[in-house]
Amino acid sequence: MDELGLGPVHPSTRTPEDVFRDYRARRAGIVKALTTDVQKFYKQCDPEKENLCLYGLPNETWQVTLPAEEVPPELPEPALGINFARDGMAEKDWLSLVAVHSDSWLMAVAFYFGARFGFDKEARRRLFMMISGLPTVYEVVAGVVKKQPKTPNGDSKNKSGSKPSKKPNSNSKLARQSQRKLEEQIGKQDGGDEDQAYLCGVCAESYANDEFWICCDICEKWYHGECVNITPAKAEHIKQYKCPACNNKRSRE
């Protein structure tokens, strides 16, 4: 493994499921860079520096750094020089461009492992189908991912059929308001069909039983508390919650 932690997935990894787990972890790191950590990411992409790349790491973190020096590299390399375009484009357009290139890189890494491990046609199909089941980084960054169809086995909702609430106490005024807000959103977008589940604006995963979620009062997107570093205790003291993306927009306006 090199200094970036970008070495191959575990030596025992030989199945599409293992490669998909690596893909999902790297993707999670990149999504964090372009959403919750966007201010830090923006600052690190200084146009005055040399060609920089955005790497998603197997431990769900990210890193902006120079490309690998070895030729050929151990893994496919991400887009080179993402920092040069930062100040020449609108920030939203620049982040979207980085997201698209990141999607391409993630696919390249996944199918590099597929080729390296000798996946046959069926194994490659399984890998592609698992990857296709997740929203792309671009879809998350651009905010076009809001809901997904309920899975045949009903896993898109918890067993009780409840939806994420903004506050842990379902009897509180804010929790009831947040619940109504989510129900109104569902009603507007799919005619009240509750066979749809909202996705977290950071990790793009659907709601699971007993998870704490919080809704942004500005963009009305839902987030796992863990993804935006908000605990139920913290939430009790928040009168109006602004997600990281909305906070970043306002700080630069």
Side-chain angles (χ1 to χ4, degrees):
M1 180 176 293
D2 63 22
E3 60 184 7
L4 294 177
L6 291 173
V9 288
H10 228 269
S12 61
T13 299
R14 292 294 183 273
T15 69
E17 288 73 21
D18 290 324
V19 173
F20 175 66
R21 280 193 288 272
D22 181 82
Y23 169 91
R24 188 169 55 188
R26 294 176 189 275
R27 172 187 170 279
I30 291 175
V31 168
K32 286 178 184 176
L34 301 180
T35 55
T36 56
D37 296 347
V38 68
Q39 281 191 313
K40 181 179 178 182
F41 170 70
Y42 187 90
K43 290 178 181 178
Q44 289 190 17
C45 292
D46 185 348
E48 298 299 319
K49 294 183 179 179
E50 296 183 45
N51 293 307
L52 295 176
C53 301
L54 170 61
Y55 292 89
L57 306 182
N59 61 354
E60 299 189 7
T61 61
W62 58 275
Q63 187 170 16
V64 171
T65 189
L66 295 171
E69 294 182 1
E70 59 184 336
V71 178
E74 187 173 7
L75 289 178
E77 286 292 303
L80 183 66
I82 58 172
N83 51 315
F84 295 148
R86 191 196 73 176
D87 293 345
M89 302 174 65
E91 181 179 340
K92 182 179 179 181
D93 293 337
W94 175 66
L95 291 174
S96 295
L97 179 64
V98 174
V100 169
H101 281 293
S102 296
D103 281 318
S104 300
W105 176 70
L106 289 168
M107 290 290 287
V109 171
F111 280 86
Y112 162 81
F113 284 131
R116 178 174 175 179
F117 298 148
F119 287 176
D120 59 17
K121 180 179 179 180
E122 176 58 24
R124 293 194 303 272
R125 186 193 68 80
R126 280 165 50 204
L127 176 59
F128 182 76
M129 292 302 293
M130 286 186 287
I131 290 174
S132 297
L134 290 176
T136 63
V137 176
Y138 170 77
E139 288 173 329
V140 175
V141 171
V144 299
V145 179
K146 290 185 178 179
K147 57 187 179 180
Q148 67 179 8
K150 179 182 176 183
T151 54
N153 61 6
D155 287 338
S156 64
K157 290 195 298 185
N158 63 64
K159 293 180 181 178
S160 65
S162 63
K163 300 179 184 68
S165 61
K166 186 174 179 180
K167 303 291 180 181
N169 180 4
S170 60
N171 293 322
S172 70
K173 181 179 178 182
L174 283 174
R176 292 195 299 271
Q177 290 174 344
S178 187
Q179 177 77 8
R180 286 197 299 270
K181 181 188 294 185
L182 180 58
E183 290 172 351
E184 288 171 1
Q185 290 173 343
I186 293 174
K188 289 178 182 178
Q189 296 195 28
D190 53 45
D193 182 1
E194 295 199 6
D195 284 349
Q196 303 285 335
Y198 273 71
L199 303 180
C200 172
V202 173
C203 69
E205 296 292 333
S206 58
Y207 178 70
N209 196 25
D210 296 329
E211 287 182 326
F212 171 66
W213 280 50
I214 190 165
C215 178
C216 175
D217 289 304
I218 305 301
C219 65
E220 298 190 340
K221 292 180 182 177
W222 289 87
Y223 298 87
H224 289 107
E226 184 178 357
C227 289
V228 290
N229 299 317
I230 299 293
T231 64
K234 285 183 180 179
E236 288 294 341
H237 302 285
I238 299 175
K239 293 183 179 179
Q240 183 185 56
Y241 175 66
K242 295 179 185 178
C243 68
C246 289
N247 265 325
N248 292 333
K249 284 179 185 176
R250 301 217 161 192
S251 67
R252 281 192 280 271
E253 284 179 354

